[in-house]
Structure formats: C-alpha cells, structure tokens
Amino acid sequence: LNSFLLESDWYTKILLLSYKKILFSHSRPTARSHMLVEHLAPKRPLLTNYIAYALNIRVPLKSEEDFTGARAATAARGFSLSRWIEENLHKLPMSVSSERFKAGEDPVRYVMERIGDAYPTVTTVYREKLTDEALTQLCFFGLGAHRLYRARTLSSPTEVVDSGDFVVRTNFLADLPVREGLDSYGGDAYFDETTWRIKKIVRKLPRQQPWESEELTYRPGDPEWEYVKFVFRSSLFSLV
C-alpha cells in the first residue's frame, strides 16, 4: 500500500481500494440464473435507520436483494464489509493539501491516471469547465439537472408564486461540519427563465447560533464570483 498513490494519505488509499474491490468483484445477474420465482424473497419492510444530520428521518440501510440464494448472501457480506469500512474510515490518518496545480498541468489527467480504471465512461463533453456557460450546462444537462426547480417567492403571507427563475439549491448543506481548513458547503444558483444564464448565487453562511441566518448574494463580475461558483459546484457534487 505504501507504493500506491504515494502522495495520498491512508484515508484516500483505503477509500479508493475499497471502492475498486466492490466494483471489480461485482457480477452481472441474469434472470435465468439469479431471478428464479422459487427464490423470490418474501415481502417485508425495508430495514431503515435514523440519519445523524436530520430530524426524525429514516432511510434504508442498504439496497436489499429481491431474491434469496448464494448471490444474496454474497451481497449481504459485501454490504457488511462496506459498512464497516465506511463507519471506520474517519479513524485513518488524513491530510489536507492546499497546493495548486501549476501552469500547464492537467488536473483531469492527474486524476484519471489514479482512478481511471474505476471511473465510468464519460459521455458529456465540456469544451471548458469554469465559465458561466459551463455552469448552465452542468445544472441543466448534467449533474444538477435532477435538482433543478422553478424558484418560488412569497407574494403575500398566504400565496406562493413562481419567480420566473430556475434554481439549484445546496444551501441546506451550509450547517454541516467540515474539517479544519476547509470552507463550508452551500450556494443556491439562480438562472434566467429565458436565456438560462446564471444570474446570481445566494450563499448561506454557517449558523453561529441556532436563531441566526446570514446570506450573501454574488453576481457575475463580482470579485469573488469564480470562487463562489467553485463552492457551489463542490457542494453540488457532494450533495449528489
């Protein structure tokens, strides 16, 4: 393991190796071999548990097999191992590097050389990734499309109407704890109804007190615009 990802900490190494183990050991089921009627599992409620970062919300512990047999037993063992690794990853040494890529270095090539064998086939082409147009492509045709909503505002104390804009929201992540040295999550990105161009990003700041709430609005051309877009993109990736 010491020779694998030399510049990475043990947290990153174990996380990536665990994912590769799950990915490459997975076998594709077939209806003839794995989905026989006599092996259909009886109906039952999904096993659920409360999540730590929400109030009174239960989610399934795992994706449960519809059929019994050797494949289901293997999947159960794999889930138990995956869950144990996930719950104990935080105990491994981890580090934060603020070093930036140098001029001429390709960040995509750097990442793909390390995880390319476990990365899904890329079908979406971005001519570039940092402009306002690229953000529209990400939110309307890419990762953020299923989080895209019509923005709504209060026209009166009892009436809610569409504001005309589209919005992708991540501000509800703002209060999640982060490691020391890292910035907070958040950012609601608003897009024009007609042109789909980004109009503004409203970023919620972490609460210092439960009753406090502070938001900052950034627009194209503002000094911190590029950084706020980066925060929003990072929050969206973490959310999805």
Side-chain angles (χ1 to χ4, degrees):
L1 280 179
N2 287 330
S3 61
F4 175 69
L5 294 180
L6 292 174
E7 70 280 18
S8 298
D9 52 37
W10 280 92
Y11 175 91
T12 305
K13 291 181 179 183
I14 297 299
L15 180 64
L16 182 55
L17 285 175
S18 301
Y19 176 74
K20 288 188 176 187
K21 171 65 170 62
I22 295 172
L23 178 67
F24 296 133
S25 63
H26 178 75
S27 61
R28 179 177 297 179
T30 63
R32 185 179 298 275
S33 301
H34 302 97
M35 301 179 183
L36 301 176
V37 174
E38 57 267 28
H39 293 163
L40 190 65
K43 291 183 179 181
R44 65 191 183 280
L46 281 174
L47 296 175
T48 61
N49 201 0
Y50 289 107
I51 54 179
Y53 48 85
L55 181 63
N56 198 31
I57 296 179
R58 301 179 67 98
V59 298
L61 292 175
K62 60 180 179 179
S63 57
E64 297 186 26
E65 291 286 335
D66 289 331
F67 293 85
T68 60
R71 178 179 173 82
T74 301
R77 289 193 297 268
F79 169 77
S80 299
L81 176 60
S82 301
R83 184 176 179 183
W84 182 87
I85 292 174
E86 181 179 351
E87 291 177 347
N88 289 276
L89 268 176
H90 69 280
K91 299 177 182 178
L92 295 174
M94 62 180 71
S95 58
V96 177
S97 174
S98 58
E99 184 179 358
R100 294 177 177 270
F101 287 98
K102 299 176 182 178
E105 290 184 329
D106 187 347
V108 175
R109 181 179 179 183
Y110 172 85
V111 173
M112 294 303 288
E113 285 177 348
R114 288 152 179 79
I115 66 170
D117 58 342
Y119 204 81
T121 303
V122 178
T123 58
T124 303
V125 178
Y126 287 84
R127 290 191 296 271
E128 38 66 41
K129 301 178 177 69
L130 303 180
T131 64
D132 293 359
E133 289 76 12
L135 191 61
T136 295
Q137 182 178 355
L138 177 69
C139 291
F140 280 77
F141 304 99
L143 191 69
H146 71 297
R147 308 292 306 189
L148 187 69
Y149 298 92
R150 292 298 295 267
R152 313 194 78 186
T153 58
L154 284 173
S155 62
S156 70
T158 58
E159 184 178 4
V160 179
V161 297
D162 291 337
S163 70
D165 293 332
F166 294 98
V167 61
V168 176
R169 303 185 186 276
T170 68
N171 266 336
F172 51 83
L173 304 177
D175 291 320
L176 290 179
V178 296
R179 286 154 51 191
E180 184 178 355
L182 301 183
D183 203 348
S184 60
Y185 295 103
D188 291 350
Y190 289 81
F191 299 85
D192 184 85
E193 177 186 20
T194 304
T195 64
W196 295 1
R197 289 187 63 86
I198 181 71
K199 294 175 63 176
K200 63 182 179 181
I201 295 177
V202 179
R203 187 181 179 195
K204 178 183 176 183
L205 302 182
R207 298 173 188 264
Q208 301 302 317
Q209 300 293 339
W211 56 85
E212 293 179 350
S213 181
E214 182 179 0
E215 294 181 344
L216 299 176
T217 299
Y218 301 87
R219 303 181 189 278
D222 286 348
E224 295 183 318
W225 179 241
E226 294 301 323
Y227 177 72
V228 172
K229 287 196 297 182
F230 166 76
V231 172
F232 169 76
R233 291 195 301 268
S234 302
S235 301
L236 180 60
F237 274 96
S238 299
L239 172 63
V240 174

